[in-house]
């Protein structure tokens, strides 16, 4: 059961005692570890976990500094949003993803959305490859290579487009409510994936397995898992974008 540290936060707000702040940071360090692990496939191929955790700790300290107990929002929710946003921003600024991979990801996203609109359904890999002028083999390899950037793009969509002030979410209470609603929309969208896609997404985002671990579980190559993941992200992003525009 979660412990109520409201009195400790109030005491820190009154005194600004660094020792109290550090005590709160230690109490909530598990949030940093959780967020860092939940986003690990965003940076696993390019970044170092220690660097990511360091960014998360800085964001946690900032969350402790700025948390307002009178807002009626759990600190865990507030800190999670701050830490996730800081890590995503850090990863994006590092520009770890090769330019060619990033370029393919952008073209893939645009082609998928164009075909989705034209066909009124999720296009097949062959249809996307043909429209992009790529062979099946080249397309499959590029899809696998783009898995990391697809994850980052999806996380950016969830965080930036839905939790920024421009979205009209005036405070953390609104954000928390909207996050719950968004999670329900994502869950509904996941249910419409085909069985293999649903399995990959479930193992990756809910069971926290890496792509190589998922490959062993479902008996396919890691490259194939990356392809399935990328295609699933295209579909989920499209569904979320349709929801955001409502």
């Amino acid at each position: 059961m979660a412990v109520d540290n409201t009195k400790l936060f109030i005491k820190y707000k009154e005194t600004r005692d660094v020792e109290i702040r550090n005590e709160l940071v230690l109490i909530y360090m598990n949030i940093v570890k959780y967020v860092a692990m939940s986003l690990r496939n965003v940076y696993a191929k390019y970044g170092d976990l220690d660097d990511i955790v360091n960014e998360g700790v800085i964001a946690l300290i900032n969350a402790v500094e700025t948390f307002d107990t009178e807002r009626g929002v759990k600190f865990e929710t507030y800190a999670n949003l701050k830490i996730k946003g800081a890590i995503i921003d850090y990863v994006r600024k590092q520009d770890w993803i090769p330019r060619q991979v990033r370029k393919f990801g952008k073209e893939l996203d645009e082609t998928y959305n164009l075909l989705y609109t034209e066909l009124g359904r999720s296009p097949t890999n062959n249809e996307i490859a043909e429209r992009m002028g790529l062979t099946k083999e080249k397309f499959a390899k590029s899809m696998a290579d783009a898995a990391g950037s697809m994850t980052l793009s999806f996380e950016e969509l969830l965080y930036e487009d839905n939790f920024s002030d421009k979205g009209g979410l005036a405070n953390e209470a609104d954000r928390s409510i909207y996050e719950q609603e968004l999670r329900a929309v994502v869950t509904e969208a996941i249910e419409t994936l085909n069985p293999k896609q649903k399995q990959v997404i479930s193992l990756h985002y809910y069971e926290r397995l890496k792509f190589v671990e998922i490959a062993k579980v479902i008996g396919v190559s890691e490259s194939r898992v990356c392809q399935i993941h990328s295609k699933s992200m295209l579909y989920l992003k499209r569904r979320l974008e349709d929801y955001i525009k409502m």
Side-chain angles (χ1 to χ4, degrees):
M1 185 172 65
V3 178
D4 186 357
N5 292 298
T6 302
K7 292 182 179 178
L8 204 55
F9 276 108
I10 292 174
K11 188 175 180 180
Y12 175 64
K13 188 175 182 180
E14 293 173 345
T15 65
R16 290 298 169 179
D17 187 323
V18 175
E19 290 188 5
I20 296 176
R21 185 200 68 186
N22 291 344
E23 181 180 351
L24 286 165
V25 169
L26 288 174
I27 290 173
Y28 292 104
M29 268 299 294
N30 64 307
I31 301 178
V32 174
K33 296 175 182 176
Y34 172 78
V35 175
M37 289 304 293
S38 70
L39 294 175
R40 68 187 183 280
N41 278 311
V42 168
Y43 59 82
K45 291 184 178 180
Y46 314 103
D48 184 79
L49 177 60
D50 289 340
D51 292 335
I52 297 297
V53 170
N54 286 340
E55 289 299 317
V57 171
I58 293 172
L60 176 59
I61 292 173
N62 179 261
V64 171
E65 294 274 5
T66 57
F67 182 60
D68 187 350
T69 56
E70 297 180 1
R71 286 283 183 88
V73 178
K74 289 183 179 180
F75 177 74
E76 290 87 343
T77 301
Y78 178 69
N80 188 291
L81 287 169
K82 297 276 282 187
I83 294 166
K84 184 176 183 181
I87 291 176
I88 288 174
D89 190 52
Y90 174 74
V91 171
R92 185 174 55 240
K93 287 179 178 178
Q94 301 314 301
D95 198 24
W96 284 320
I97 300 171
R99 182 177 299 178
Q100 200 62 29
V101 173
R102 191 180 295 278
K103 181 174 181 289
F104 171 80
K106 182 180 180 180
E107 292 176 353
L108 174 65
D109 194 50
E110 292 173 351
T111 303
Y112 180 90
N113 285 327
L114 183 62
L115 286 172
Y116 191 102
T117 301
E118 291 179 3
L119 301 172
R121 59 170 172 78
S122 179
T124 65
N125 286 353
N126 288 343
E127 289 169 336
I128 300 173
E130 182 178 351
R131 180 62 64 90
M132 294 181 73
L134 300 174
T135 64
K136 294 179 182 179
E137 294 73 18
K138 176 64 176 176
F139 179 75
K141 183 181 184 304
S142 297
M143 281 278 280
D145 291 340
S149 63
M150 293 298 296
T151 302
L152 176 59
S153 180
F154 183 68
E155 293 293 348
E156 286 175 332
L157 178 72
L158 285 176
Y159 184 81
E160 291 185 346
D161 287 353
N162 296 287
F163 302 130
S164 62
D165 290 336
K166 68 182 180 181
L169 303 180
N171 55 52
E172 282 68 40
D174 291 335
R175 295 183 183 192
S176 178
I177 292 172
Y178 195 77
E179 185 180 35
Q180 292 176 21
E181 181 180 345
L182 182 62
R183 187 178 294 112
V185 173
V186 173
T187 299
E188 181 182 347
I190 289 173
E191 285 301 313
T192 64
L193 293 170
N194 67 46
K196 188 68 73 175
Q197 291 175 326
K198 190 185 303 183
Q199 186 178 22
V200 168
I201 295 302
S202 177
L203 291 173
H204 181 59
Y205 290 100
Y206 296 99
E207 301 299 327
R208 307 296 179 187
L209 296 186
K210 297 179 181 179
F211 291 143
V212 65
E213 296 170 333
I214 297 173
K216 293 177 181 178
V217 171
I218 66 178
V220 299
S221 67
E222 181 181 0
S223 175
R224 179 57 183 154
V225 170
C226 291
Q227 293 168 32
I228 295 171
H229 173 269
S230 292
K231 183 67 178 296
S232 302
M233 287 299 98
L234 286 168
Y235 174 75
L236 293 176
K237 278 184 63 185
R238 174 70 193 210
R239 287 290 295 265
L240 279 175
E241 285 166 354
D242 287 342
Y243 166 72
I244 291 166
K245 293 173 184 176
M246 290 175 62

